[in-house]
Amino acid sequence: MSIYLRLLCTCSLLISLTAFSQSNSSEKGSVSGIILASDNDGVLPGASVFIEALNIGGVTDFDGRFLITAIPAGSHQLQISYLGYTTKTIEIIVKEDDNLNLGSITLEPSLNQLGEVIVTASIEGQQKAYNQQRNADNIKTIVSADLVNQFPDINVGEALQRVAGVNIERNNGEGANIRLRGTPRNYTTVTIDGAQLPTTDAGGNRTESLDLIPAELLSSMEITKALLPENDGDAIGGTVNLITPTARSAKGRVKGTVAGGYADIFERGSFRSKLRFDKRSKDDKFGIIVGGSYYNTVNGEERLETNYRFREVGPNEEMTYVLDELALRPLLNLRTRIGANATFDYKFNEQSTIFTSFSYNFLRDQNERYRIRFRSMGDFPDPNNLNVIGSGENSLARLRRDMSDDDERRENVTFTVGGRNNLGSWGKLNYGYTLSRSEREETSFRTVFRATGINYIIDRSDRDFPQFVPQGFDVNDYSQYEFGGYQTDNPNLINGFNQTGYINVTVPLRLSKKVTGEFKTGGKFRLQENSRRRSNLQWEGYDGIYTLDQVVGDDQGSIFEGRYNMGAFPSPSRSTRHFNANFDLYTFDPAESTFNTVSNTFDVEENIYAWYGQGKLSFGKFSAVFGARYEATATNYRANVVEQVVGETTIRLDEGGPSYNFLLPSVHLKYRLTDRTNLRASYFESFARPNFINLVPAENRNFADNEVERGNPDLVPAFSQNVDVLLEHYFKDEGTISLGVYYKQIDNFIFTQQSVVLDDPIIEGFELIQPVNGEVADVLGVEVNFAKKFTFLPGWLNGFGVYANYTYVNSSSSFTFIEEDGTVLRRDDVPLVGQANHTWNAALYYDKGKFSIRGALNYNGRSFDSFDIIPINDFVIEERYQLDANASYRINDRLTVFAEAQNLLNTPVIEFNQFRDQVTNHEIYGIVARLGLNFNF
C-alpha cells in the first residue's frame, strides 16, 4: 500500500506543479485584510474567507489576517464566516496585478433566542480554537489559553491531560510526561512555535518533561494527530506545539494573577504570580508583548515500594515467589518554577512582517527523601509460612535507613527570528531560525546506615499496606545501625542544544473554474547536540565506629494516615559535617566511582535535513492535501566504554552512530457535509528516533538488585503507517462533537529486552536490561469529544455546559527474552507500555454573568508499566481518578477573584505485580488548594 501511495503522491505533485505553471497567468489580482470581532476588537483566527463562485478562499492566521491570491480581475462576492458570529458578505472589485487591501473587517456576534450574546468572554478563546480546527487541512486539537485557565492546571503537562488521547505521568504530583494515542513517550514531538525542544530528560527520553513550562504564558496548544508533509516526520503519536502569544492590543493592556495556596499533606503554603503586557503602535506596525510567571510550592509524595521475586526457600532451597522487600520513602520537595517570554513584531506593510521571540523556563526541585528499607536477603526458613523472615541469631535479613538530599535545576532558553512575506499573485513566503538550549544540573548526596541479623513477621492483613514487623529488635535504637555508605553526585550535567532553520513557499493553483488549491514546498534543518557528564564518588566503609545515633536527625513522623511510623534518619547537615571532619577515615571505592562517572559520560550530535512538497486541491465541498516529506538523519556519538576485570579497570572511547532517511507520503481528505460538519480521512507515514541514551554503549549497574542496564548502538528507528477517520460537527453557538478512529502499524518498535550477562566476569549472571527492536506493533484507537454550553435552556439554566471526551486504545506487540543458554523465548499479544485501554475526562460547569464554577474528573484506566517473558513478573499501573474544581467571580471588568483545588479525591497511584494484592508501589500526593485574584488594566 505504501508503494502505491508514494507513486500517487508523486504524480499528484507533478499535476500540482503543472497547474501552478498555468495558474499564474495575467489578469489576476489578490485581496487581503484582517478580521475582527465587533464586541471587543479582538482578532478572529481561523475565520473562513471565501469566494464561492470561484471556489477560492482561505483561513485567517493567528493574527486574524488573510490573503487570497490568483483572483480573476472583476467583481466578486467575498463571504466571511466564523462560529458564533454572523456571516458577512462583501462585494469586492479586484484589479489586474493589484492587491486589494480591505483593512479591518468586523463581524457581529450571534444572538440566541433571548437576544443574548452566544460567545461570552469566558469561552471566546476556545471558540477561536474551534474555528481553527474546523478549517484546518488535517486532524488536530487546539486548546486555547482561555480553556486552560478554566481548569486549575499550572503547567503544560497538567493541561494536556484534558485532551482526548493523552495519558500523563506525574512527578511529585504534577503532570510531567505525556503519551499520545497509546504510543511510547518518545513517539510524541514537543515544540515551541514549531521548533523542537532539546531534551535533558534524566531517563534519556527525547521528549522534554512538560512540568518545566508554565501553561499560563501560552496563547494556545496545538496537538497535531495526522501529520502533513510540512510537519516533522518523527512523531508517530503526534506533535504538541506550544504557541506563544503576540501583541494584539492597540491601547496597551496589562494582565496578571496573584494567588496563594496550601498543600494539606505537607501543611505548607504556596505562592503564584503572573504578569503580562502587550501593546501595538498607533499605526499597527510594531507590536510588543512581554510576560512572566513565578510559582513556589511544597510538593512531593508519601510512597511505599515492595519487591516480589523468586527466592530459594527452606532447607531444600525450593524456588518460591515471595514478598522480599518493603521500602517506605516519603519525599518533601520545594519546587520553584519561573517562566518568561517576549515577542516583538514589525509590519513593513501588509505584505511583509518580521518577528523575534524569546522564552525562558526554569524549574528547581530541592528535596529530601528519607527511606526505610526492610530486606529479607532471601532468608525464608519455612516454605510453609512465607510470612516468616530470618533464622534467629543467624538471620541474613537487614533493616536500612538512608537519606538523600537532592538539588536539581532545569532550564530552557529559546530564541527565534523569522518573517512572513506575501508575494502577490505568486503566493506567500515564511521563514525562521531558532536557537534553543536546555540544561539539567543535579547535585546530591546520600548517607546509608543498616542493621543486620533481624527477624521479621510479615503482616498482610491490608493488601495495600503490608507490614514487616521486627521481632526482638528496637527499630528506634539508632545505635544499632552501622554506617553503610556515603555517595555524592556533584554534579550530574545534561545539556541539549538545537539549531533549527526553515523556509516555506506557498503558491496558488487553479486547474479550472471549479478546481483550485495551492502548492507548498519548503526545507528545514535541525542540528542537535546532547551531552551527559557525571561526577559520582562513593565511600563504602569507615575506619572506626560510626553509627546512626552520632548523626541522627529529627523524627519524621508517620505516613499513610499513621499506618507507618518513620522514626529518625541521618541529618543532612550533621552527616555532611561528620564527612568533612573525618574524611580520612572513610573508605573510598575507586572502582565503582570511576565506573559510574565514566560510563555515564557521552556526547551525541545529530544532523537532520528535510524537504517536502505538498499540494492542496479543492472542488466544491471536497478538498485533498497530499504530498511527501524526505527526512535524512546522521547521528554520531562519542562514549566511554568501561571494562572491569578483577583488579583492573580499563576505559576506551567508542565512536559511531546510525545514518538513515525516510520518504514519508501522506494524503488528507476532507468533505464538508455542511458549513459546520466535516468528514475527514488521512493516511500518513511517520517514524520515531531511538532515545539518545539508548544509542550509546553506556551501562548502569545495580548491585543491590543484580541488574545491568545497557544501551544498544544497533537500534534503528521505529516506522509507522497511520490511518485516521474523523467525523466532526461544530455547534453554531459554541462547542463541538466528534467521533474519530485511528490505526497505527509500527515496524521495528523498540522494547526493553531482558537477558543474562555472560560477557563480564564481575557481573556475570546479572539480569541484563537493554532496548532492542521488535517486529510489528498494532495500535487501534477511538476518540469521542463533546463540548457544549446549554444555551438552548431557559433562564438561568443556560449557564450550564459540559466538556467531555473518551478514548479507547487497544495495542498488540511481541517481544523476546534470551536465557543463559541462548534459548530465545517469545511472548505475543502484549500491549504497549503505558497504554491504557480507557481514558476519559468529564467536566460540568456553570458560567453566567459574573459567576463561573467547574468540576472536572479525569480517569486513566489500567496500563502496563513493564513486561516479562512470564506474566508473573508483569507490572501494572492501577486505574486512577482525579477530581479538580475551580470557581471565579468577576467583581468588575478589571478584577476577578478565583478559588481552585486539585486532587480532591487524593486517589493513590498504585502499581502491582501481576495480581492486585501484590502492590509494588503506592504513592499519594495530597490535596492542593489556591485562592487568588486576576486583574487586567
Side-chain angles (χ1 to χ4, degrees), residues 7-23:
L7 291 173
L8 174 62
C9 290
T10 302
C11 293
S12 300
L13 285 174
L14 291 175
I15 294 172
S16 298
L17 288 172
T18 302
F20 165 62
S21 67
Q22 299 174 353
S23 66

Side-chain angles (χ1 to χ4, degrees), residues 708-738:
V708 178
E709 296 182 14
R710 283 182 184 170
N712 183 359
D714 296 324
L715 288 174
V716 299
F719 171 78
S720 180
Q721 299 180 77
N722 313 272
V723 177
D724 276 77
V725 178
L726 175 70
L727 177 64
E728 59 182 0
H729 174 76
Y730 296 89
F731 298 112
K732 182 179 179 180
D733 46 7
E734 184 271 332
T736 181
I737 183 171
S738 66

Side-chain angles (χ1 to χ4, degrees), residues 763-775:
I763 54 175
E764 185 173 350
F766 277 34
E767 181 181 10
L768 175 60
I769 302 172
Q770 188 176 41
V772 299
N773 286 107
E775 297 175 0

Side-chain angles (χ1 to χ4, degrees), residues 376-537:
S376 75
M377 305 305 293
D379 194 349
F380 289 87
D382 185 356
N384 297 315
N385 189 353
L386 299 180
N387 292 323
V388 175
I389 298 175
S391 305
E393 295 181 357
N394 299 318
S395 174
L396 302 176
R398 298 177 179 178
L399 177 56
R400 169 171 160 168
R401 290 181 179 269
D402 60 70
M403 175 278 305
S404 178
D405 187 290
D406 295 272
D407 189 349
E408 180 183 79
R409 295 176 173 88
R410 295 158 49 198
E411 69 175 16
N412 170 264
V413 179
T414 298
F415 173 78
T416 299
V417 60
R420 296 181 291 270
N421 295 87
N422 296 330
L423 307 177
S425 62
W426 287 92
K428 295 176 283 188
L429 169 72
N430 70 298
Y431 49 87
Y433 175 75
T434 297
L435 287 174
S436 187
R437 180 189 65 83
S438 294
E439 180 177 278
R440 179 190 295 258
E441 178 180 345
E442 180 183 10
T443 59
S444 67
F445 77 89
R446 184 178 66 180
T447 304
V448 178
F449 289 84
R450 62 173 63 98
T452 58
I454 302 173
N455 297 277
Y456 295 111
I457 298 294
I458 303 177
D459 179 359
R460 306 194 200 202
S461 57
D462 188 331
R463 67 173 184 173
D464 287 348
F465 301 101
Q467 303 270 356
F468 276 50
V469 183
Q471 304 298 298
F473 178 82
D474 184 0
V475 296
N476 295 320
D477 182 358
Y478 303 117
S479 65
Q480 298 184 80
Y481 298 84
E482 297 180 349
F483 174 74
Y486 188 91
Q487 176 177 314
T488 66
D489 280 289
N490 190 24
N492 288 341
L493 286 174
I494 307 175
N495 288 290
F497 181 73
N498 286 6
Q499 298 182 68
T500 305
Y502 67 90
I503 184 169
N504 301 298
V505 179
T506 305
V507 295
L509 300 176
R510 187 170 180 82
L511 290 177
S512 67
K513 290 184 178 180
K514 293 185 177 181
V515 182
T516 61
E518 65 181 26
F519 175 72
K520 189 172 185 179
T521 186
K524 187 175 188 177
F525 70 85
R526 186 165 78 249
L527 311 179
Q528 302 186 149
E529 299 175 12
N530 190 268
S531 65
R532 288 180 176 243
R533 298 292 183 271
R534 185 181 183 187
S535 178
N536 177 262
L537 301 175

Side-chain angles (χ1 to χ4, degrees), residues 590-608:
E592 279 308 301
S593 299
T594 301
F595 181 87
N596 289 334
T597 296
V598 178
S599 66
N600 283 279
T601 296
F602 64 80
D603 298 286
V604 179
E605 295 179 355
E606 189 171 72
N607 297 332
I608 301 164

Side-chain angles (χ1 to χ4, degrees), residues 634-656:
T635 306
N636 182 64
Y637 65 77
R638 295 176 298 278
N640 293 316
V641 177
V642 184
E643 298 174 343
Q644 291 181 323
V645 182
V646 178
E648 183 179 357
T649 299
T650 60
I651 303 170
R652 62 178 175 87
L653 179 66
D654 190 10
E655 296 187 66

Side-chain angles (χ1 to χ4, degrees), residues 650-688:
T650 60
I651 303 170
R652 62 178 175 87
L653 179 66
D654 190 10
E655 296 187 66
S659 295
Y660 47 86
N661 56 73
F662 287 96
L663 180 62
L664 307 169
S666 66
V667 178
H668 301 262
L669 308 176
K670 176 181 173 182
Y671 184 74
R672 187 160 45 91
L673 297 171
T674 70
D675 187 50
R676 291 180 282 111
T677 306
N678 297 321
L679 177 63
R680 301 176 184 265
S682 299
Y683 171 86
F684 66 97
E685 296 180 4
S686 56
F687 67 99

